[in-house]
Amino acid sequence: MSKICQITGKKAQIGNNVSHSKHRTKRSFDVNLFSKKFYYVEEACWIQLKIRLLLKVM
């Protein structure tokens, strides 16, 4: 399963894990994806999209 949002196109980013001794190893920051079903009125059918969850807390 690809880790790409089908609406915004956001992908996983690559970065480093940094230990206490400053030793760096590669890691990936995954997108917060989930599958959601939407009803498509023009075609009268259900479609399933992988979208990312965006939370803005104030």
Side-chain angles (χ1 to χ4, degrees):
M1 173 167 82
S2 66
K3 303 260 185 193
I4 300 173
C5 178
Q6 291 179 325
I7 295 175
T8 61
K10 293 280 185 174
K11 298 188 235 180
Q13 294 180 337
I14 303 296
N16 288 317
N17 276 336
V18 181
S19 69
H20 181 70
S21 64
K22 307 294 190 286
H23 184 74
R24 288 169 168 82
T25 56
K26 287 291 186 184
R27 63 160 292 181
S28 65
F29 295 94
D30 290 332
V31 181
N32 190 12
L33 290 178
F34 66 98
S35 295
K36 179 71 178 163
K37 289 174 99 174
F38 295 100
Y39 188 71
Y40 189 41
V41 179
E42 287 84 16
E43 297 290 325
C45 65
W46 288 91
I47 57 172
Q48 186 170 2
L49 296 175
K50 284 186 287 190
I51 58 176
R52 76 183 174 111
L53 181 62
L54 178 64
L55 292 175
K56 291 189 176 181
V57 179
M58 295 187 160

